[in-house]
């Protein structure tokens, strides 16, 4: 892969942001029939953050995560060439990335949304890397942000206990080919199973307009629906296959990796995937006990925390995999460059 690129790409800095409002399992047991024991044993989640302030939105979370990353990189927002906002809960169906561009003052940046649910950040990194490695852009801000509390059915105990709101950001920068830090990727989609996890748009029976042969039906988005068992089985069977394919293409053995950073959906999924790959559990990066499943934000949120804790060292190999609605799943392998 390294020979076909014009320039290398590496993650320069990361940032993250979560809302102040913390909802623990005990709080949730006042809302639906559940318990702290059930949630911890089945998911590993203890608490999650919810954007409770009606005057705040995904853009507030995305911009504070971005500003942290920009400050760490000592970079002026005007130096960003492209912003990719991975989200499934935008402010505006026409796209929210432009609002983020305006809010952080990245006046020269092109900005667009990328919708791939919990795989969104992985797809964002891979997309950004193409623009950099082919020489088009030098500085790209990739943000994973979701406010799924807007789309949860708060009477459905099988989903409302899982999700939290957050944003995470990474600045990807060009570098000499020899220092390339984004080594390779493997991506997949299976649209035939999209019904297993969805926020569907449903049209009403009544027409909003009827004129001669013109019938217009309108509708609205529904709440999250998920077949948890099927999504669980999909994740533990398909994610290891993606990781192995990606590692094989790079001639890296599973035992050579330093960190396994999976989409933070369920502690049991993280361990099942690690087990299948014979990766020691002390290499798993996990923070979902504090934040739950934050969808597109979960990977950059956990990455930023691990970096802030100085867990990840120069030249460490990090295997990052996202999976979720679509169904989409995929892996990107990174060699960390300080
Ligand atoms: O980010 C996108 C990717 N999403 C995922 O990866 C989610 C993957 N799925 C999962 O993480 C798990 O399937 C869940 C955590 C969602 C559910 O865990 P499970 O072990 O698959 O539980 P289950 O759905 O099989 O339910 C087991 C029992 C059921 O009761 P019965 O039928 O055995 O009597 C449920 O009604 O647990 C019951 N249950 C609950 N009980 C207490 C379901 N939700 C709850 C709850 N509290 N919140």
């Amino acid at each position: 892969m390294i020979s076909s690129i014009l320039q290398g790409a590496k993650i320069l800095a990361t940032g993250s942001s979560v809302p102040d409002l913390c909802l623990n399992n005990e709080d949730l047991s006042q809302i639906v029939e559940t318990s702290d024991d059930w949630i911890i044993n089945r998911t590993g989640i203890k608490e999650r953050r919810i954007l409770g302030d009606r005057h705040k939105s995904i853009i507030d979370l995305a911009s504070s995560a971005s500003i942290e990353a920009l400050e760490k990189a000592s970079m002026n927002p005007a130096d960003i060439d492209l912003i990719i906002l991975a989200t499934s809960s935008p402010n505006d169906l026409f796209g929210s990335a432009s609002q983020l561009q305006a809010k952080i003052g990245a006046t020269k940046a092109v900005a667009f949304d990328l919708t791939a649910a919990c795989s969104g950040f992985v797809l964002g990194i891979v997309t950004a890397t193409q623009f950099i490695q082919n020489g088009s852009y030098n500085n790209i801000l990739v943000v994973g942000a979701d406010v799924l509390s807007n789309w949860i059915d708060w009477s459905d105990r099988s989903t409302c206990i899982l999700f939290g709101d957050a944003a995470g950001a990474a600045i990807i920068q060009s570098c000499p080919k020899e220092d390339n830090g984004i080594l390779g990727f493997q991506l997949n989609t299976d649209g035939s199973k999209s019904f297993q996890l969805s926020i569907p748009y449903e049209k009403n029976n009544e027409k909003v307009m009827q004129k001669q042969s013109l019938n217009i039906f309108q509708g609205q988005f529904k709440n999250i629906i998920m077949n948890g068992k099927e999504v669980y089985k999909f994740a533990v069977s398909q994610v290891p296959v993606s990781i192995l394919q990606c590692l094989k293409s790079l001639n890296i053995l599973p035992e050579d990796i330093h960190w396994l950073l999976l989409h933070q959906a369920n502690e049991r999924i993280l361990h099942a995937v690690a087990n299948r790959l014979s990766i020691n559990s002390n290499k798993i990066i996990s923070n979902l006990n504090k934040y739950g499943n934050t969808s597109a934000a979960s990977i950059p949120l956990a990455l930023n925390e691990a970096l802030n804790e100085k867990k990840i060292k120069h030249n460490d190999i990090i295997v990052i995999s996202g999976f979720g609605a679509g169904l989409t799943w995929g892996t990107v392998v990174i060699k960390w460059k300080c």
Side-chain angles (χ1 to χ4, degrees):
M1 188 163 291
I2 191 97
S3 59
S4 62
I5 65 176
L6 289 178
Q7 53 186 14
K10 64 173 190 172
I11 297 182
L12 187 65
T14 58
S16 63
S17 175
V18 293
D20 294 334
L21 182 67
C22 181
L23 202 63
N24 66 28
N25 293 344
E26 211 53 61
D27 300 325
L28 275 172
S29 69
Q30 313 294 314
I31 301 170
V32 287
E33 202 183 323
T34 190
S35 65
D36 184 41
D37 265 4
W38 192 96
I39 302 172
I40 287 182
N41 290 333
R42 299 287 178 129
T43 71
I45 301 165
K46 291 186 181 147
E47 56 192 38
R48 69 287 290 143
R49 300 301 184 90
I50 302 293
L51 193 67
D53 184 337
R54 71 182 290 269
H55 301 293
K56 292 219 163 135
S57 79
I58 192 165
I59 301 303
D60 295 288
L61 293 177
S63 61
S64 58
S66 304
I67 288 163
E68 182 187 337
L70 286 161
E71 283 177 357
K72 280 186 191 159
S74 302
M75 188 182 277
N76 188 322
D79 293 334
I80 298 287
D81 302 308
L82 171 67
I83 296 173
I84 300 174
L85 174 60
T87 185
S88 303
S89 44
N91 257 359
D92 185 328
L93 283 184
F94 284 139
S96 300
S98 54
Q99 293 176 37
L100 176 61
Q101 184 244 25
K103 179 130 187 173
I104 63 170
T107 45
K108 295 193 188 122
V110 176
F112 63 83
D113 288 23
L114 185 158
T115 307
C118 306
S119 310
F121 186 75
V122 167
L123 279 154
I125 293 280
V126 171
T127 305
T129 301
Q130 307 315 301
F131 281 113
I132 289 178
Q133 290 179 338
N134 74 19
S136 302
Y137 294 129
N138 288 316
N139 295 312
I140 303 184
L141 173 66
V142 180
V143 181
D146 268 309
V147 181
L148 289 184
S149 60
N150 287 346
W151 299 103
I152 285 166
D153 174 354
W154 287 97
S155 66
D156 175 9
R157 68 178 182 170
S158 70
T159 51
C160 77
I161 53 124
L162 294 174
F163 297 99
D165 303 334
I171 297 169
I172 324 277
Q173 190 172 59
S174 59
C175 60
K177 270 205 244 186
E178 307 69 51
D179 296 335
N180 183 48
I182 305 192
L183 304 183
F185 62 88
Q186 198 284 329
L187 304 173
N188 314 273
T189 301
D190 181 0
S192 71
K193 306 230 173 61
S194 60
F195 64 94
Q196 303 284 18
L197 177 49
S198 167
I199 304 178
Y201 180 80
E202 277 180 23
K203 289 194 174 179
N204 301 325
N205 288 329
E206 314 229 313
K207 297 166 192 153
V208 291
M209 189 166 75
Q210 183 172 26
K211 225 168 199 182
Q212 291 156 351
S213 62
L214 180 67
N215 292 320
I216 308 273
F217 292 89
Q218 289 182 336
Q220 51 279 313
F221 285 97
K222 299 286 175 183
N223 292 126
I224 296 173
I225 47 170
M226 180 174 78
N227 182 339
K229 263 200 178 342
E230 287 307 313
V231 177
Y232 187 100
K233 281 195 261 174
F234 141 73
V236 298
S237 64
Q238 295 307 311
V239 172
V241 175
S242 168
I243 292 174
L244 284 176
Q245 272 182 26
C246 194
L247 288 176
K248 193 166 174 218
S249 73
L250 296 165
N251 284 323
I252 297 173
L253 297 170
E255 57 261 39
D256 294 336
I257 76 154
H258 298 90
W259 300 106
L260 181 65
L261 173 47
L262 304 182
H263 165 51
Q264 308 281 297
N266 184 322
E267 193 70 33
R268 289 187 295 143
I269 295 178
L270 308 191
H271 285 270
V273 171
N275 270 342
R276 285 198 183 198
L277 299 169
S278 303
I279 290 172
N280 197 306
S281 61
N282 62 15
K283 293 182 174 178
I284 297 173
I285 294 177
S286 169
N287 67 358
L288 61 76
N289 60 331
K290 290 185 285 183
Y291 305 113
N293 177 345
T294 57
S295 189
S298 88
I299 290 172
L301 179 64
L303 178 63
N304 189 44
E305 193 173 277
L307 288 165
N308 288 346
E309 289 168 0
K310 310 225 178 305
K311 273 187 182 168
I312 298 171
K313 305 276 184 305
H314 183 62
N315 280 340
D316 276 3
I317 305 276
I318 314 167
V319 167
I320 298 179
S321 290
F323 55 88
L327 299 175
T328 54
W329 69 105
T331 301
V332 58
V333 175
I334 287 177
K335 190 178 220 182
W336 191 257
K337 303 284 178 182
C338 288

